[in-house]
Amino acid sequence: CVCVFNKFYQKYFTIEDNKQYSNFKYYRLYKAFETPSFFYLYIDKTHAFLISKACFRKNNPENFQNLLRKNVGGVINMLKESLPKLILR
């Protein structure tokens, strides 16, 4: 699994790669979707972070889902397919 380094806290999450480091507060997310393999965290209408469920080490995806629901207003849409397939239809 190739992952960008992510840390999830109660009020924000961090995204880090070799070039940059950023903090994002959950309440600033535009939308959040969940598929069987990923979380899609949209920061605006066209930009999203894809968080692979396979990359969770310390906590399981269900714990992260609960954290998102608490901080994004309780609405996390679960999709049966990946978003790119849905957008292309």
Side-chain angles (χ1 to χ4, degrees):
C1 177
V2 177
C3 299
V4 173
F5 186 73
N6 304 305
K7 285 188 179 180
F8 304 101
Y9 301 97
Q10 288 298 315
K11 299 292 179 187
Y12 67 96
F13 62 98
T14 62
I15 302 292
E16 181 179 354
D17 62 17
N18 292 334
K19 297 179 183 177
Q20 57 187 349
Y21 173 89
S22 300
N23 288 333
F24 291 91
K25 294 185 178 180
Y26 296 109
Y27 75 86
R28 296 190 71 202
L29 289 173
Y30 175 73
K31 276 187 183 174
F33 292 98
E34 181 182 0
T35 66
S37 300
F38 289 91
F39 289 100
Y40 292 74
L41 307 180
Y42 279 81
I43 57 174
D44 61 31
K45 288 183 179 182
T46 58
H47 298 90
F49 293 110
L50 278 65
I51 312 294
S52 173
K53 291 180 179 181
C55 293
F56 281 85
R57 288 184 245 152
K58 193 171 186 179
N59 293 314
N60 61 38
E62 291 80 19
N63 289 345
F64 182 62
Q65 179 191 64
N66 292 333
L67 182 65
L68 279 177
R69 285 187 181 184
K70 178 181 173 186
N71 287 289
V72 181
V75 180
I76 307 297
N77 294 314
M78 178 60 156
L79 304 174
K80 294 180 182 179
E81 300 182 49
S82 64
L83 286 180
K85 290 180 185 175
L86 293 173
I87 291 170
L88 294 173
R89 289 188 179 161

